Amino acid sequence: MPGPAGSTPAVWGDKIFLTSVAEGGELLALAVSTSGKELWRHTIATGNKDVRGDEGNSASPSPVTDGKHVWIFMANGPLACFTVDGKEVWKFDIQDRYGKLKIAFGMTASPLLDGDRLYLQLIHGEGDPKTREAKIVCLDKGTGKEVWKVERPSEAHSENEHSYASPTLYRDDKKSFLLTHGADWIVAHDLKDGHELWRS
C-alpha cells in the first residue's frame, strides 16, 4: 500500500479496489489484481487530514463496485466514478454541491450502491439544529446527477450531531427502504423520493 487508509476494499472477480493516502497527502484510488499486481491508480484529491492521532484519515470511506464501475468517496468531499479498468467517468466535490462537511473526526460514511442509484448519508453539523446541513442524497450512478435530496432534521447536539456510519438497505419480498443511522435516530426513507417513513 502507498500508505494508510481506514476503508474496506471492494472485491469483484480478480480485481480489488482500494483507497489510500500517499506520502505528501495525496488521496488515492487503486485497483490491484488478486495476485497483488497494481493495475491502476488515480489521485482523487490532496489535503489529507489525520484524525485522532493516526486512527483515521481522509481515505476512510470505502469504495463500491458493480463489476463494471467503481465509485470512490473521500472524506474531504470528492466523489468519483471510474470504469473497473481505470477510466474516469465523472467526478465532483460533495462540498461544492451540498455544503461544507462539518464533522469532528472526518466523514467516514461510505456510499451505498443499489441498482442504478448511489446513496450518500451526510449527517453532520455544529450547533443550531435549524442551520445544520444534514441530508440524505440519491444520485444516478452513471452520471452523478441528483435523483433526490432530503433534509434529515434532529435535535441532537455535541458529538451526537454527527454520524460515522454508512447508509444501509432493507429489502424483503414486500417492502424495501433506505436506513440511515446517526444524530440520535435511525430513520427509514422511501427509495423513490427519500421522504421519511419512520424514525426510532
Side-chain angles (χ1 to χ4, degrees), residues 98-102 122-125 129 131-135 151:
Y98 297 113
K100 183 174 174 58
L101 298 172
K102 303 173 184 176
L122 306 176
I123 301 176
H124 59 94
T131 61
R132 214 171 285 152
E133 296 184 356
K135 56 186 65 72
E151 301 300 315

Side-chain angles (χ1 to χ4, degrees), residues 114-132:
D114 181 54
D116 292 330
R117 294 184 170 190
L118 195 68
Y119 299 97
L120 299 173
Q121 173 173 307
L122 306 176
I123 301 176
H124 59 94
E126 295 176 356
D128 187 346
K130 294 180 181 178
T131 61
R132 214 171 285 152

Side-chain angles (χ1 to χ4, degrees), residues 101-104 106-107 109 120-125 132-136 152 154 156 159-167 179-187 189:
L101 298 172
K102 303 173 184 176
I103 189 162
M107 178 60 70
L120 299 173
Q121 173 173 307
L122 306 176
I123 301 176
H124 59 94
R132 214 171 285 152
E133 296 184 356
K135 56 186 65 72
I136 309 304
R152 192 184 184 279
S154 85
E159 190 178 339
N160 289 335
E161 296 168 335
H162 313 300
S163 177
Y164 304 96
S166 301
L179 291 169
T180 61
H181 179 264
D184 291 346
W185 298 97
I186 183 167
V187 178
H189 303 268

Side-chain angles (χ1 to χ4, degrees), residues 58-110:
S58 297
S60 291
S62 300
V64 291
T65 185
D66 62 0
K68 296 180 180 179
H69 297 87
V70 59
W71 292 265
I72 306 288
F73 180 40
M74 296 296 183
N76 60 350
L79 175 66
C81 173
F82 296 91
T83 68
V84 293
D85 295 321
K87 181 181 178 181
E88 184 177 308
V89 178
W90 55 260
K91 179 182 175 183
F92 71 93
D93 194 313
I94 288 291
Q95 297 191 104
D96 291 339
R97 188 182 290 184
Y98 297 113
K100 183 174 174 58
L101 298 172
K102 303 173 184 176
I103 189 162
F105 301 116
M107 178 60 70
T108 59
S110 301

